[in-house]
Amino acid sequence: MVALQVHLLLVPWLMSILGAAQCVVQDAALLSYMDRRFVSLERRLEKCSQDLLEYVDEFRELSQAALARLARLSTDKAELQGEVENLLTRVERAQRDIDYFGSVADSNACVEVHEDLLEQQLLEEAEEKKRLKLMLNASCDHMLAGIRSLKVVKKTGAKHGSWMKDPGKKHAKIYLLSGSVNNVILEFANLMAFMENNQTLKARRVPLPVPWEGTGHVIYQGFLFYHRHGSLNEIVKFHLQRRSVADQMLLPGAGRIPAYQLSPQTKIDLALDEQGLWALHAEPETGGNIVLTKINPVAMAVERSWDTPCSSRDAEAAFVACNALHVVYNSPSGGSSRIQCVYDVLGARNAHTNPGLHFPKRQGGHSSVHYNPKERQLFAWGDGSQIVYKLHTEQKV
């Protein structure tokens, strides 16, 4: 009887223990469920963070691409403007040709030229030549007959470059522009200072805000004119004393191919003669022949252009002397330089091949050849040497 009572007393206690155990099991299951939920949430947060980083990288790349496109926009705009101006120039030339041929002959029939019409044409040609002489202030009465001698003034060792003097009356300074891409000019007080051994210590350094391209630069009336590096056909006018850009212009049609096949670093070659500033370049539309352009250095504008018969093939340099283009040719392997094409814009020797004009006593090529109208000499850069060539001239016929 007593054992039965004990058992009856233990039943509630056991039931409470079983209930507590059941609660523990339920709590453990809940904790396990919550733990799984937290782990899932952490994984989702980690994936979200990774996706966000990928989105940030994509946005950064997109921003960089957009900035690069914006940076190229100004260059593309300048190139497009140059192409448009070139197209307009060629349309004007074509229109003049059409008008001229339309006034002379009917394309569908043979027309007999009347003596009065022929006389009128001769008068118009004479007026055109007179107008050209007036525009060019044509006081030149000489032409190049030969290259007499050379003098190697200095050897800097740089493969490409140019050196020159300002052909003004009181200018004795020498300017050295080393390399086909650079932004520092070396200015020397005179030729003796330039010839000294430790030349860089004697030089005044003139930095440019934008670098040049090629070797076709000139210094004229205190300004440096050069082709801006990275541009298709922009010519910069830089004031040497003020060290600032004074003006710039675009040369229509230029910059797409080298001016000379043997000097591919030069797309636009600038030149000086007795009449001022000229530009030389080649165009695919002319079959690679050289285009000669007269430039007004004050207004920085084209005055007139001539499509010359002088080819850029096997050419290494050129210069203008007394309104005449002289193109210097060589062999690709380097040999004796020679002038084989001369084009006079005033017609005295309109197009002439003269294989007799050889550069004396020297084998090798030229990176640049510039004419100094004051001294009637050529300042040339050949295989790292700075050379002066003296010229022999004779009266034009």
Side-chain angles (χ1 to χ4, degrees):
M1 188 67 179
V2 174
L4 179 60
Q5 290 177 349
V6 171
H7 287 147
L8 292 173
L9 291 173
L10 290 174
V11 168
W13 182 73
L14 290 172
M15 293 297 293
S16 64
I17 291 176
L18 290 173
Q22 185 177 3
C23 289
V24 170
V25 172
Q26 291 176 350
D27 290 343
L30 178 61
L31 290 173
S32 177
Y33 171 76
M34 293 296 292
D35 185 59
R36 290 196 301 273
R37 294 289 292 175
F38 278 124
V39 170
S40 176
L41 182 61
E42 287 177 351
R43 289 176 179 172
R44 291 173 64 186
L45 288 173
E46 183 178 356
K47 186 176 184 305
C48 182
S49 177
Q50 186 177 357
D51 291 343
L52 182 61
L53 291 176
E54 292 178 357
Y55 292 150
V56 169
D57 290 339
E58 291 180 2
F59 180 74
R60 184 180 294 111
E61 292 177 358
L62 180 62
S63 299
Q64 291 175 350
L67 290 174
R69 291 291 297 274
L70 288 173
R72 289 196 300 269
L73 183 60
S74 59
T75 302
D76 294 340
K77 181 181 177 181
E79 293 178 356
L80 179 60
Q81 184 177 351
E83 293 295 334
V84 171
E85 291 180 357
N86 176 43
L87 179 60
L88 290 175
T89 300
R90 295 194 174 278
V91 169
E92 290 177 358
R93 292 181 186 175
Q95 186 62 50
R96 288 197 300 267
D97 292 340
I98 291 171
D99 293 341
Y100 172 74
F101 287 116
S103 64
V104 174
D106 186 354
S107 60
N108 298 321
C110 295
V111 179
E112 184 178 354
V113 180
H114 194 271
E115 291 183 359
D116 293 340
L117 180 58
L118 181 59
E119 184 179 355
Q120 180 64 29
Q121 291 176 2
L122 293 175
L123 287 174
E124 290 177 358
E125 291 178 1
E127 287 295 326
E128 175 68 10
K129 186 176 292 187
K130 183 178 180 181
R131 190 186 70 81
L132 274 176
K133 289 184 176 181
L134 183 62
M135 182 190 77
L136 295 175
N137 187 25
S139 58
C140 282
D141 58 355
H142 62 273
M143 63 182 183
L144 181 61
I147 303 171
R148 292 192 302 182
S149 62
L150 69 86
K151 178 180 180 181
V152 178
V153 176
K154 191 75 177 180
K155 187 175 181 63
T156 63
K159 182 177 181 181
H160 303 299
S162 59
W163 71 296
M164 63 204 69
K165 293 173 66 176
D166 190 328
K169 294 181 180 179
K170 298 181 180 179
H171 294 288
K173 295 179 180 179
I174 298 292
Y175 296 90
L176 180 77
L177 294 89
S178 180
S180 57
V181 177
N182 204 340
N183 67 337
V184 176
I185 307 171
L186 297 182
E187 179 188 273
F188 300 87
N190 49 48
L191 186 61
M192 294 302 297
F194 173 68
M195 293 174 63
E196 292 183 10
N197 290 330
N198 199 349
Q199 58 173 336
T200 56
L201 296 179
K202 299 289 185 179
R204 170 177 174 256
R205 298 172 63 87
V206 182
L208 302 177
V210 290
W212 69 72
E213 180 172 329
T215 60
H217 356 280
V218 296
I219 292 177
Y220 183 53
Q221 296 179 344
F223 294 92
L224 168 70
F225 297 85
Y226 67 95
H227 178 200
R228 176 179 178 174
H229 174 62
S231 72
L232 179 67
N233 54 5
E234 181 178 345
I235 299 175
V236 177
K237 179 181 179 181
F238 179 79
H239 198 295
L240 288 170
Q241 294 301 320
R242 297 176 184 173
R243 299 193 180 189
S244 62
V245 174
D247 205 349
Q248 59 273 327
M249 64 171 288
L250 299 177
L251 184 63
R256 290 171 293 167
I257 60 175
Y260 317 113
Q261 184 190 40
L262 301 186
S263 298
Q265 72 278 358
T266 301
K267 302 291 182 60
I268 299 175
D269 191 11
L270 300 174
L272 292 174
D273 77 341
E274 291 79 357
Q275 313 308 329
L277 181 63
W278 303 78
L280 292 71
H281 72 276
E283 296 183 13
E285 292 83 357
T286 64
N289 285 359
I290 296 173
V291 178
L292 178 63
T293 302
K294 184 70 177 66
I295 295 178
N296 184 326
V298 177
M300 288 295 282
V302 172
E303 293 183 345
R304 179 163 175 175
S305 290
W306 293 263
D307 293 339
T308 77
C310 300
S311 175
S312 62
R313 182 177 178 81
D314 291 336
E316 64 179 11
F319 60 93
V320 180
C322 201
N323 302 316
L325 170 68
H326 300 74
V327 185
V328 182
Y329 294 90
N330 208 324
S331 64
S333 59
S336 177
S337 299
R338 59 204 179 276
I339 297 172
Q340 282 189 304
C341 189
V342 178
Y343 179 82
D344 193 324
V345 300
L346 296 179
R349 183 166 52 174
N350 198 269
H352 182 61
T353 299
N354 189 347
L357 293 179
H358 285 266
F359 284 76
K361 300 180 183 179
R362 188 177 180 278
Q363 296 290 318
H366 293 95
S367 173
S368 63
V369 177
H370 291 296
Y371 175 66
N372 186 299
K374 177 185 177 183
E375 301 177 358
R376 291 192 183 180
Q377 295 180 342
L378 299 180
F379 285 65
W381 189 296
D383 299 326
S385 297
Q386 291 70 57
I387 308 165
V388 170
Y389 291 103
K390 292 184 178 181
L391 305 179
H392 172 61
T393 62
E394 61 184 26
Q395 197 78 13
K396 282 186 178 181
V397 294

